[in-house]
């Protein structure tokens, strides 16, 4: 076979003929050098440029270019080139030209004389004033994965045309370059994966810092959280309140990824911050729900149990937002589930009225309370079955009346015993009332606690009613206020005065806050403080300009405007409080009970 | 709230019973204004009124002013403790002419 006979023919790779042994030695050396270069250099583009340079010199071509297939596989981009014409950045369709032919067919190609080849694209030549006579091209591919191709132009010296030996050599070098590119890409991916993993570990560290520190054995509330992945969508918290009670929280954010972890962080922070000031679980959840509804990604929600435990008397009040029913275990071993009475947080901002999420109150009477996520009950155990609610109950029973720490450890061990990855985060919070010394006198204690509640600045909530803002509801309001005022210890004209003030305040809402009758609701909360009765009157209308509300001039005897004067005449304090978070107006009336220590008169 | 109008000794006696509040005060106002222009003195018997609010008081004030214009006397008689308290709070106990009993009222205008 002579150069003449293959002139103008396209030859595909075949047996190498007449390759001299010294060039094999050089060839291996070149491959080794290229390998070192790819391994040591972080910048793939620089390395590719070096490789093209070496290959072009080694094969003794006038110019060389390396094309890479775009990630979508539709384009070929020149990543590196050597020679008189700079074509780095040149973009071709994936099947365009001789490069395209080689990439598509995953085969090398020699065009001894471009004048005879229909695939030749003469555009670059004519623009650059470069005369292409002969082209050599070989694909870069690894195990069928197409990466790109290396193209060489014009053999130096002689007739300036490539021959088959050149093709075989380029094919070998191209394959090596392809492997090197793939390795470099994989190592970049690995670096990226490592980086993401490190980020996740940092996120998990922050998450763990949001969980409370392990409690002392004598502390009645404890918890455990085992994430299924690095970060968790579950959380729990507990902290003592300034009145000696203990607030506890357990929540489960929908989903398990980073978005769940972030929403978890937000919810946990909100609850911890607000929970220390708002000691009513139902009202607390209402506030947090509003916030989450306003800002959370659509479709994400949080199921949650928020409670307060009083270690003095075993009393628990809790609100359940769509969460697994917590289990109360009585000292006799019987179970009671506290069902959720409200939807999860983040579903609907105004689904519930301002009374907040419904609360359940009960006394543990020396028993225990377990709040857990479905990761506990749906976790697999050794038999391959789900642990289940019965599994949890069995385990609690078998722990006897041992402390809740025993149960928590046992659950963790039981669900983790298969060694298989967890399906879902496993989280439990336990409240242990068996530690209380004075079990058996809960009633007296509870009564005392209720009294203690009345000593707080806001007093004890006695009554709350919410009615449509209509004139025919006023009688109902008056009767309620009258009975409550009498209960608080008011006598004589004071009772009537309080009734009048509340009635007038409600009238203002009906007549002024809302545009017309029955347009909205009015809510009245009656509270008893040791020295006073506190009345909170709330509407849900647009905020009222407080400066416009003032008592009328009494010398000007005209109908209307009298109500506000009457209110300030009979009450000791009349204040518009800052508007509630979800809008409306909030008026607070305080009437002191005569004869109490703080009554100055 | 209910009301009853009677002529007694040359006067018009209107007796209310029940609560005069935002719901019932429009009716009370209408009943009161119906007596204005009839010439005879108006005596409002509030003995049966357990509760009166600012809107009820406002109706009384409006009627007092209207009857003055029409040259009629306007008196409140046997005002219940609760209603009197509200009038006192509104400082209107001195604006209205108030008699302890119906008979005293009739005697006062004749």
């Amino acid at each position: 076979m002579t150069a003449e006979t293959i002139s103008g023919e396209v030859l595909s790779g075949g047996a190498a003929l007449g390759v001299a042994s010294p060039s094999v030695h050089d060839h291996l050396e070149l491959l080794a050098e290229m390998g070192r270069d790819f391994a040591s250099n972080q910048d793939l583009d620089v390395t590719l440029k070096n490789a093209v340079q070496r290959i072009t010199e080694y094969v003794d071509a006038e110019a060389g270019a390396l094309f890479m297939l775009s990630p979508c596989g539709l384009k070929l981009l020149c990543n590196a080139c050597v020679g008189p014409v700079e074509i780095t950045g040149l973009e071709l369709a994936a099947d365009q030209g001789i490069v395209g032919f080689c990439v598509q067919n995953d085969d090398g190609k020699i065009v001894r004389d471009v004048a005879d080849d229909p695939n030749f694209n003469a555009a670059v030549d004519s623009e650059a004033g470069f005369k292409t006579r002969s082209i050599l091209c070989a694909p870069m591919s690894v195990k069928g994965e197409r990466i790109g191709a290396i193209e060489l132009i014009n053999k130096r010296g002689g007739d300036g045309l490539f021959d088959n030996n050149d093709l075989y050599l380029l094919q070998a070098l191209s394959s090596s370059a392809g492997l090197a590119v793939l390795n470099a890409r994989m190592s970049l991916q690995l670096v990226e994966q490592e980086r993401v993993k490190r980020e996740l570990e940092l996120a998990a560290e922050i998450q763990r810092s949001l969980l409370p520190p392990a409690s002392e054995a004598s502390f009645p509330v404890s918890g455990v959280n085992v994430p299924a992945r690095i970060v968790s969508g579950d959380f729990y918290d507990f902290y003592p309140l300034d009145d000696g009670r203990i607030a506890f929280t357990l929540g489960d954010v929908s989903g398990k990824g980073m978005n769940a972890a972030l929403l978890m962080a937000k919810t946990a922070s909100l609850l911890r911050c607000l929970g220390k000031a708002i000691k009513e679980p139902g009202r607390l959840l209402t506030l947090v729900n509003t916030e989450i509804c306003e800002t959370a990604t659509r479709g994400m929600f949080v199921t949650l149990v928020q409670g307060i435990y009083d270690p003095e008397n075993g009393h628990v009040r809790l609100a359940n937002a769509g969460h697994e029913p917590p289990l109360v275990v009585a000292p006799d071993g019987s179970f009671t589930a506290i069902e959720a009475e409200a939807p999860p947080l983040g579903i609907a901002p105004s689904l519930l009225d301002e009374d907040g999420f419904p609360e359940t109150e009960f006394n543990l009477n020396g028993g225990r309370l377990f709040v857990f996520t479905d990761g506990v009950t749906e976790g697999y155990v050794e038999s391959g079955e789900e642990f289940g609610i019965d599994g949890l109950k069995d385990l609690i029973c078998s722990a006897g009346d041992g402390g809740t720490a025993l149960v928590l450890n046992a659950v963790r061990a039981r669900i983790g015993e298969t060694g298989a990855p967890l399906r879902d985060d496993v989280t439990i919070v336990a409240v242990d009332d068996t530690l209380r010394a004075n079990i058996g006198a809960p009633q007296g204690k509870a009564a005392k606690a209720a009294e203690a509640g009345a000593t707080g600045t806001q007093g004890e909530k006695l009554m709350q009613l919410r009615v449509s803002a209509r004139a025919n509801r006023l009688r109902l309001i008056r009767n309620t206020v009258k009975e409550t005022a009498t209960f608080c210890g008011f006598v004589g004209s004071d009772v009537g005065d309080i009734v009048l003030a509340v009635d007038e305040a409600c009238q203002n809402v009906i007549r002024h806050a809302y545009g017309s009758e029955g347009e909205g609701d009015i809510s009245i909360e009656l509270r008893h403080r040791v020295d006073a009765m506190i009345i909170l009157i709330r509407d849900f209308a647009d905020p009222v300009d407080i400066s416009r509300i003032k008592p009328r001039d009494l010398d000007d005897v005209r109908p209307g405007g009298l109500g506000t004067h009457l209110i300030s005449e009979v009450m000791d304090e009349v204040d518009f409080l800052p508007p509630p978070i979800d809008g409306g107006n909030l008026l607070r009336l305080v009437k002191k009970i005569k004869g109490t220590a703080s009554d100055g008169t | 709230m209910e009301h009853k109008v009677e002529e007694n000794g040359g006067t018009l006696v209107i007796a209310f019973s029940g609560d005069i509040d935002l719901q019932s005060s429009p009716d009370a106002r209408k009943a009161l204004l119906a007596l204005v222009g009839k010439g005879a003195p108006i005596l409002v018997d509030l003995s049966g009124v357990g509760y009166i609010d600012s809107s009820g008081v406002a109706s009384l004030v409006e009627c007092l002013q209207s009857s003055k214009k029409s040259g009629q006397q306007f008196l409140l008689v046997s005002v219940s403790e609760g209603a009197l308290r509200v009038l006192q709070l509104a400082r209107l106990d001195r604006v209205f002419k108030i008699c302890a009993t119906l008979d005293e009222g009739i005697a006062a205008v004749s």
Side-chain angles (χ1 to χ4, degrees), chain A residues 331-395:
Chain A
D332 66 3
S334 63
F335 291 93
T336 312
I338 313 289
E339 299 288 341
E341 289 177 40
L345 306 182
I347 298 284
S350 55
L351 208 61
L352 299 144
D353 60 30
E354 96 299 344
D355 293 353
F357 278 61
E359 286 183 11
T360 311
E361 296 194 41
F362 51 90
N363 198 297
L364 284 176
N365 288 323
R368 288 162 295 167
L369 170 70
F370 292 93
V371 192
F372 47 90
T373 57
D374 53 12
V376 173
T377 50
E378 289 173 7
Y380 287 125
V381 291
E382 207 165 16
S383 62
E385 287 174 6
E386 286 187 359
F387 185 50
I389 188 75
D390 290 333
L392 179 60
K393 285 181 178 176
D394 287 348
L395 208 145

Coordinates of all heavy atoms in Angstrom, one line a residue, chain A residues 331-395:
Chain A
P331 N -49.8 5.1 85.7 CA -49.0 4.3 86.6 C -49.4 2.8 86.5 O -48.6 1.9 86.7 CB -49.2 4.8 87.9 CG -49.6 6.3 87.7 CD -50.3 6.3 86.4
D332 N -50.7 2.5 86.2 CA -51.2 1.2 86.1 C -50.9 0.5 84.7 O -51.3 -0.6 84.5 CB -52.7 1.1 86.4 CG -53.5 1.8 85.3 OD1 -52.9 2.3 84.3 OD2 -54.8 1.9 85.5
G333 N -50.2 1.3 83.9 CA -49.8 0.7 82.6 C -50.8 0.9 81.5 O -50.5 0.5 80.3
S334 N -51.9 1.6 81.7 CA -52.9 1.8 80.7 C -52.4 3.0 79.8 O -51.8 3.9 80.3 CB -54.3 2.0 81.3 OG -54.2 3.2 82.0
F335 N -52.8 2.9 78.5 CA -52.4 3.9 77.6 C -53.6 4.8 77.2 O -54.7 4.3 77.0 CB -51.9 3.3 76.3 CG -50.6 2.6 76.5 CD1 -50.5 1.2 76.8 CD2 -49.4 3.3 76.4 CE1 -49.3 0.6 77.0 CE2 -48.1 2.7 76.6 CZ -48.1 1.3 76.9
T336 N -53.3 6.1 77.0 CA -54.3 7.0 76.4 C -53.6 7.8 75.3 O -52.5 8.3 75.5 CB -54.8 8.0 77.4 OG1 -55.2 7.3 78.6 CG2 -56.0 8.8 76.9
A337 N -54.2 7.8 74.1 CA -53.6 8.6 73.0 C -54.3 10.0 73.0 O -55.5 10.1 73.1 CB -53.8 7.9 71.7
I338 N -53.5 11.0 72.8 CA -54.0 12.4 72.8 C -54.0 12.8 71.3 O -53.0 13.1 70.7 CB -53.1 13.4 73.5 CG1 -52.7 12.9 74.9 CG2 -53.8 14.8 73.6 CD1 -53.8 12.8 75.9
E339 N -55.2 12.6 70.7 CA -55.4 12.9 69.3 C -55.2 14.3 68.9 O -55.5 15.2 69.7 CB -56.8 12.4 68.8 CG -57.1 11.0 69.0 CD -56.4 10.1 68.1 OE1 -55.9 10.5 67.0 OE2 -56.2 8.9 68.4
A340 N -54.7 14.5 67.7 CA -54.6 15.9 67.1 C -56.0 16.5 66.9 O -56.9 15.8 66.4 CB -53.8 15.9 65.9
E341 N -56.1 17.7 67.2 CA -57.4 18.4 66.9 C -57.3 19.5 66.0 O -58.2 20.3 65.8 CB -58.1 18.9 68.2 CG -58.5 17.7 69.1 CD -59.1 18.2 70.4 OE1 -59.7 19.2 70.4 OE2 -58.8 17.5 71.4
A342 N -56.1 19.7 65.3 CA -55.9 20.8 64.4 C -54.9 20.3 63.3 O -54.2 19.3 63.5 CB -55.3 22.0 65.2
P343 N -55.0 21.0 62.2 CA -54.1 20.6 61.1 C -52.7 21.0 61.4 O -52.4 21.8 62.3 CB -54.7 21.4 59.9 CG -55.3 22.6 60.5 CD -55.8 22.1 61.8
P344 N -51.7 20.4 60.6 CA -50.3 20.8 60.8 C -50.1 22.3 60.5 O -50.9 23.0 59.9 CB -49.6 20.0 59.7 CG -50.5 18.9 59.3 CD -51.9 19.4 59.5
L345 N -49.0 22.8 61.0 CA -48.6 24.2 60.8 C -48.2 24.4 59.3 O -47.5 23.5 58.8 CB -47.4 24.6 61.7 CG -47.5 24.3 63.2 CD1 -46.2 24.8 63.9 CD2 -48.7 25.0 63.7
G346 N -48.6 25.5 58.8 CA -48.2 25.8 57.4 C -49.2 25.5 56.4 O -49.0 25.6 55.2
I347 N -50.4 25.0 56.9 CA -51.4 24.6 55.9 C -52.4 25.8 55.6 O -52.6 26.1 54.5 CB -52.3 23.4 56.5 CG1 -51.4 22.2 56.7 CG2 -53.5 23.1 55.6 CD1 -51.0 21.4 55.5
A348 N -52.9 26.4 56.7 CA -53.8 27.5 56.5 C -53.6 28.5 57.6 O -53.7 28.1 58.8 CB -55.2 27.0 56.4
P349 N -53.4 29.8 57.2 CA -53.2 30.8 58.3 C -54.4 31.1 59.1 O -54.3 31.4 60.3 CB -52.7 32.0 57.5 CG -53.3 31.8 56.1 CD -53.4 30.3 55.9
S350 N -55.6 31.1 58.5 CA -56.8 31.6 59.2 C -57.8 30.5 59.4 O -59.0 30.7 59.6 CB -57.4 32.7 58.4 OG -57.7 32.3 57.1
L351 N -57.3 29.3 59.5 CA -58.2 28.1 59.6 C -58.8 28.1 61.1 O -59.9 27.7 61.3 CB -57.5 26.8 59.4 CG -58.2 25.6 58.9 CD1 -58.9 25.9 57.6 CD2 -57.3 24.4 58.8
L352 N -58.0 28.7 62.0 CA -58.4 28.7 63.4 C -58.6 30.1 63.9 O -58.0 31.0 63.4 CB -57.3 28.0 64.2 CG -57.0 26.6 63.7 CD1 -55.5 26.3 63.8 CD2 -57.8 25.6 64.6
D353 N -59.5 30.2 64.8 CA -59.8 31.6 65.3 C -58.6 31.9 66.3 O -57.7 31.2 66.5 CB -61.1 31.7 66.0 CG -61.3 30.7 67.1 OD1 -60.3 30.4 67.8 OD2 -62.4 30.2 67.3
E354 N -58.8 33.1 66.9 CA -57.7 33.6 67.7 C -57.6 32.9 69.0 O -56.6 33.1 69.8 CB -57.8 35.1 67.8 CG -58.5 35.6 69.1 CD -59.9 35.1 69.2 OE1 -60.5 34.6 68.2 OE2 -60.4 35.1 70.3
D355 N -58.5 32.0 69.3 CA -58.4 31.2 70.5 C -57.2 30.4 70.4 O -56.7 29.8 71.4 CB -59.6 30.3 70.7 CG -60.9 31.1 71.0 OD1 -60.7 32.3 71.1 OD2 -61.9 30.5 71.0
G356 N -56.7 30.2 69.2 CA -55.5 29.4 69.0 C -55.8 28.0 68.7 O -57.0 27.6 68.6
F357 N -54.8 27.2 68.6 CA -54.9 25.8 68.3 C -55.6 25.2 69.6 O -55.3 25.6 70.7 CB -53.6 25.1 68.1 CG -53.1 25.3 66.6 CD1 -52.9 26.5 66.1 CD2 -52.9 24.2 65.8 CE1 -52.5 26.7 64.8 CE2 -52.5 24.3 64.5 CZ -52.3 25.5 64.0
P358 N -56.5 24.3 69.4 CA -57.1 23.7 70.6 C -56.1 23.0 71.5 O -55.2 22.4 71.1 CB -58.1 22.7 70.0 CG -57.9 22.6 68.6 CD -57.0 23.7 68.2
E359 N -56.4 23.2 72.8 CA -55.4 22.6 73.8 C -56.1 21.5 74.5 O -57.3 21.5 74.7 CB -55.1 23.7 74.8 CG -54.1 24.7 74.3 CD -53.7 25.7 75.4 OE1 -54.0 25.5 76.6 OE2 -53.0 26.7 75.1
T360 N -55.3 20.5 74.9 CA -55.8 19.5 75.8 C -55.1 19.6 77.1 O -53.9 19.9 77.1 CB -55.5 18.1 75.2 OG1 -55.8 18.1 73.8 CG2 -56.2 17.0 75.9
E361 N -55.9 19.5 78.2 CA -55.2 19.6 79.5 C -55.5 18.3 80.3 O -56.6 17.7 80.2 CB -55.8 20.8 80.3 CG -55.4 22.1 79.6 CD -55.6 23.3 80.6 OE1 -55.3 23.1 81.8 OE2 -56.1 24.3 80.1
F362 N -54.5 17.8 80.9 CA -54.7 16.5 81.7 C -53.6 16.5 82.8 O -52.7 17.3 82.8 CB -54.7 15.3 80.8 CG -53.4 15.2 80.0 CD1 -52.3 14.6 80.4 CD2 -53.5 15.8 78.7 CE1 -51.2 14.6 79.6 CE2 -52.4 15.7 77.9 CZ -51.2 15.1 78.3
N363 N -53.8 15.6 83.7 CA -52.8 15.4 84.8 C -52.2 14.0 84.6 O -52.9 13.0 84.4 CB -53.4 15.5 86.1 CG -52.4 15.8 87.2 OD1 -51.5 15.0 87.4 ND2 -52.4 17.0 87.8
L364 N -50.8 14.0 84.6 CA -50.1 12.8 84.5 C -50.3 11.9 85.7 O -50.2 10.6 85.6 CB -48.7 13.0 84.2 CG -48.3 13.5 82.8 CD1 -46.8 13.8 82.6 CD2 -48.7 12.4 81.7
N365 N -50.6 12.4 86.8 CA -50.9 11.7 88.0 C -49.8 10.6 88.3 O -50.1 9.5 88.6 CB -52.3 11.0 88.0 CG -53.4 12.0 88.1 OD1 -53.2 13.0 88.9 ND2 -54.4 11.8 87.4
G366 N -48.6 11.0 88.1 CA -47.5 10.0 88.4 C -47.2 9.1 87.2 O -46.4 8.2 87.3
G367 N -47.8 9.4 86.1 CA -47.5 8.6 84.9 C -46.5 9.2 84.0 O -45.7 10.0 84.4
R368 N -46.4 8.8 82.7 CA -45.4 9.3 81.8 C -46.1 9.7 80.5 O -47.2 9.1 80.1 CB -44.4 8.2 81.5 CG -43.5 8.0 82.7 CD -42.7 6.6 82.6 NE -43.7 5.5 82.6 CZ -43.3 4.3 82.3 NH1 -42.1 4.0 81.9 NH2 -44.2 3.3 82.4
L369 N -45.5 10.6 79.8 CA -46.0 11.0 78.5 C -44.9 10.8 77.4 O -43.8 11.2 77.6 CB -46.4 12.5 78.6 CG -46.7 13.2 77.3 CD1 -48.1 12.7 76.7 CD2 -46.8 14.7 77.5
F370 N -45.3 10.2 76.3 CA -44.3 10.0 75.2 C -44.8 10.7 74.0 O -46.0 10.4 73.5 CB -44.1 8.5 74.9 CG -43.4 7.8 76.0 CD1 -44.1 7.2 77.0 CD2 -42.0 7.8 76.1 CE1 -43.5 6.5 78.0 CE2 -41.4 7.1 77.1 CZ -42.1 6.5 78.1
V371 N -44.0 11.6 73.4 CA -44.4 12.3 72.2 C -43.3 11.8 71.2 O -42.1 11.8 71.5 CB -44.3 13.8 72.3 CG1 -44.9 14.5 71.1 CG2 -45.0 14.3 73.6
F372 N -43.7 11.4 70.0 CA -42.8 10.8 69.1 C -43.1 11.0 67.6 O -44.3 11.4 67.3 CB -42.7 9.2 69.3 CG -44.1 8.6 69.4 CD1 -44.7 8.1 68.2 CD2 -44.7 8.5 70.6 CE1 -45.9 7.6 68.3 CE2 -46.0 8.0 70.7 CZ -46.6 7.5 69.5
T373 N -42.2 10.9 66.7 CA -42.5 11.1 65.3 C -42.8 9.7 64.7 O -42.5 8.7 65.3 CB -41.3 11.7 64.6 OG1 -40.1 10.8 64.8 CG2 -41.0 13.1 65.1
D374 N -43.3 9.7 63.5 CA -43.7 8.5 62.8 C -42.4 7.6 62.4 O -42.5 6.5 62.1 CB -44.6 8.6 61.6 CG -44.1 9.6 60.6 OD1 -42.9 10.0 60.7 OD2 -44.9 10.0 59.7
G375 N -41.3 8.3 62.5 CA -40.0 7.5 62.3 C -39.9 6.4 63.3 O -39.2 5.4 63.1
V376 N -40.5 6.7 64.5 CA -40.4 5.6 65.6 C -41.3 4.5 65.2 O -40.9 3.3 65.2 CB -40.8 6.3 66.9 CG1 -40.9 5.2 68.0 CG2 -39.9 7.3 67.3
T377 N -42.6 4.8 65.0 CA -43.5 3.7 64.8 C -43.3 3.0 63.4 O -43.6 1.9 63.2 CB -45.0 4.2 64.9 OG1 -45.1 5.4 64.1 CG2 -45.3 4.6 66.3
E378 N -42.8 3.8 62.4 CA -42.6 3.2 61.1 C -41.2 2.7 60.9 O -40.9 2.2 59.8 CB -43.0 4.3 60.0 CG -44.4 4.6 60.0 CD -44.8 5.7 59.0 OE1 -43.9 6.2 58.4 OE2 -45.9 6.1 59.0
G379 N -40.4 2.7 61.9 CA -39.0 2.2 61.8 C -39.1 0.7 61.7 O -39.9 0.0 62.3
Y380 N -38.1 0.1 60.9 CA -38.1 -1.3 60.7 C -37.3 -1.9 61.9 O -36.4 -1.4 62.4 CB -37.3 -1.7 59.5 CG -38.1 -1.5 58.2 CD1 -37.5 -0.7 57.2 CD2 -39.3 -2.0 58.0 CE1 -38.2 -0.4 56.0 CE2 -40.0 -1.8 56.9 CZ -39.5 -1.0 55.9 OH -40.2 -0.8 54.7
V381 N -37.8 -3.1 62.3 CA -37.0 -3.9 63.3 C -36.5 -5.1 62.7 O -36.7 -5.4 61.5 CB -37.9 -4.2 64.6 CG1 -38.2 -2.9 65.3 CG2 -39.2 -4.9 64.1
E382 N -35.8 -5.9 63.5 CA -35.0 -7.0 62.9 C -35.8 -8.0 62.1 O -35.4 -8.5 61.0 CB -34.3 -7.8 64.1 CG -33.1 -8.5 63.6 CD -32.3 -9.0 64.8 OE1 -32.8 -9.0 65.9 OE2 -31.1 -9.3 64.6
S383 N -37.1 -8.2 62.4 CA -37.9 -9.1 61.7 C -38.3 -8.5 60.3 O -38.9 -9.2 59.5 CB -39.2 -9.3 62.5 OG -39.9 -8.1 62.7
G384 N -37.9 -7.3 60.1 CA -38.3 -6.7 58.8 C -39.6 -6.0 58.9 O -40.0 -5.3 57.9
E385 N -40.3 -6.1 60.0 CA -41.6 -5.4 60.2 C -41.4 -4.1 60.8 O -40.4 -3.7 61.3 CB -42.5 -6.3 61.1 CG -43.0 -7.5 60.4 CD -43.7 -8.4 61.4 OE1 -44.0 -8.0 62.6 OE2 -44.1 -9.5 61.0
E386 N -42.4 -3.3 60.6 CA -42.4 -2.0 61.3 C -42.5 -2.1 62.8 O -43.2 -3.0 63.3 CB -43.6 -1.1 60.8 CG -43.3 -0.6 59.4 CD -44.4 0.4 58.9 OE1 -45.3 0.7 59.7 OE2 -44.3 0.9 57.8
F387 N -41.9 -1.2 63.5 CA -41.9 -1.3 65.0 C -43.4 -1.1 65.4 O -43.9 -1.8 66.3 CB -41.0 -0.1 65.5 CG -40.8 -0.1 66.9 CD1 -40.5 -1.2 67.7 CD2 -41.0 1.1 67.6 CE1 -40.3 -1.1 69.0 CE2 -40.8 1.2 69.0 CZ -40.5 0.1 69.7
G388 N -44.0 -0.1 64.8 CA -45.5 0.1 65.1 C -45.7 0.7 66.5 O -44.9 0.7 67.4
I389 N -47.0 1.2 66.6 CA -47.4 1.8 67.9 C -47.4 0.7 68.9 O -47.1 0.9 70.1 CB -48.8 2.5 67.7 CG1 -49.1 3.3 69.0 CG2 -49.9 1.5 67.3 CD1 -48.3 4.5 69.1
D390 N -47.8 -0.6 68.5 CA -47.9 -1.6 69.5 C -46.5 -2.0 70.0 O -46.3 -2.4 71.1 CB -48.6 -2.9 68.9 CG -50.0 -2.6 68.7 OD1 -50.6 -1.8 69.5 OD2 -50.6 -3.2 67.8
G391 N -45.5 -1.9 69.0 CA -44.1 -2.2 69.4 C -43.7 -1.2 70.5 O -43.0 -1.6 71.5
L392 N -44.1 0.0 70.3 CA -43.7 1.1 71.3 C -44.3 0.8 72.6 O -43.7 0.9 73.7 CB -44.1 2.5 70.7 CG -43.8 3.6 71.6 CD1 -42.3 3.8 71.9 CD2 -44.3 4.9 71.0
K393 N -45.6 0.4 72.5 CA -46.4 0.1 73.8 C -45.7 -1.0 74.5 O -45.5 -1.0 75.7 CB -47.8 -0.2 73.5 CG -48.6 1.1 73.1 CD -50.1 0.7 72.9 CE -50.9 1.9 72.6 NZ -52.3 1.6 72.2
D394 N -45.4 -2.1 73.7 CA -44.8 -3.3 74.4 C -43.5 -2.9 75.1 O -43.2 -3.3 76.2 CB -44.5 -4.3 73.3 CG -45.7 -5.0 72.8 OD1 -46.8 -4.8 73.4 OD2 -45.7 -5.7 71.8
L395 N -42.7 -2.1 74.4 CA -41.4 -1.7 74.9 C -41.6 -0.9 76.2 O -40.8 -1.1 77.1 CB -40.7 -0.9 73.8 CG -39.2 -1.0 73.9 CD1 -38.6 -1.0 72.5 CD2 -38.6 0.2 74.7

